[in-house]
Amino acid sequence: MKKSLNFMRCIFTSVMVMTLAFAIISCTSSQKDKKITFDKVAVTQAIEKERQVFMDAFNKGDSLGVANCYTSDAKFMPPNQNTASGRDPIQATISGFMKAGASNLTLKAVDVWGDETMAFTEDTWVLKDKEGKEIDHGKALVLWKMEDGKWKLFRDMFNSDLPCSPPPK
């Protein structure tokens, strides 16, 4: 009877070890199968194309065209202002910049990271008035999201490299 009980424990232990081994192997192999590839060159080129669409619309004074470069659930986070969430508020904010005299925007990518559904860019920017005089320049961090087969701006945050204005006295 004692030998029978030991045999049963041995069988039970062997089955448990085998089950655990199969579980570990299957988890490990499924992680290898899900290897994500990121073609940085292709994504950078695609984002550069969309960035050019953005700049062309801005430089033509087309705030609707600029807003359409954003995802439907985008957030635009300019300095010293509230966040504009969604295309209509983004369009209104961009229109305000244009009415204030901003008419020529140049954006340049510094670097790109991400995967096939989300990409992150570090950018520099220069903003000029109608006469070509520089109004401001700075840097930006932008999260791009694939929507309807195109890269669109999902989160857009930037700030100036110029010194802050002194507080009123």
Side-chain angles (χ1 to χ4, degrees), residues 58-146:
F58 189 94
N59 295 339
K60 290 178 187 172
D62 180 6
S63 61
L64 178 60
V66 171
N68 286 332
C69 293
Y70 287 85
T71 62
S72 58
D73 57 345
K75 290 186 180 185
F76 179 58
M77 299 170 270
N80 306 314
Q81 295 185 35
N82 291 329
T83 297
S85 298
R87 287 191 184 125
D88 290 340
I90 290 170
Q91 181 183 0
T93 302
I94 296 293
S95 180
F97 290 156
M98 292 172 176
K99 288 176 184 172
S103 63
N104 185 299
L105 177 65
T106 303
L107 301 166
K108 291 186 182 176
V110 174
D111 207 352
V112 178
W113 307 267
D115 62 31
E116 63 273 350
T117 60
M118 294 284 245
F120 184 77
T121 63
E122 175 187 351
D123 303 326
T124 61
W125 55 270
V126 176
L127 189 60
K128 296 179 181 177
D129 65 13
K130 292 176 184 172
E131 288 77 40
K133 181 181 175 197
E134 185 177 301
I135 300 170
D136 202 352
H137 64 276
K139 62 246 175 224
L141 297 175
V142 180
L143 185 59
W144 296 78
K145 181 178 174 184
M146 184 59 76

Side-chain angles (χ1 to χ4, degrees), residues 12-33:
F12 179 75
T13 303
S14 296
V15 168
M16 292 304 292
V17 168
M18 295 289 280
T19 302
L20 183 59
F22 284 125
I24 290 170
I25 290 169
S26 66
C27 288
T28 304
S29 65
S30 67
Q31 287 175 353
K32 288 178 184 174
D33 294 342

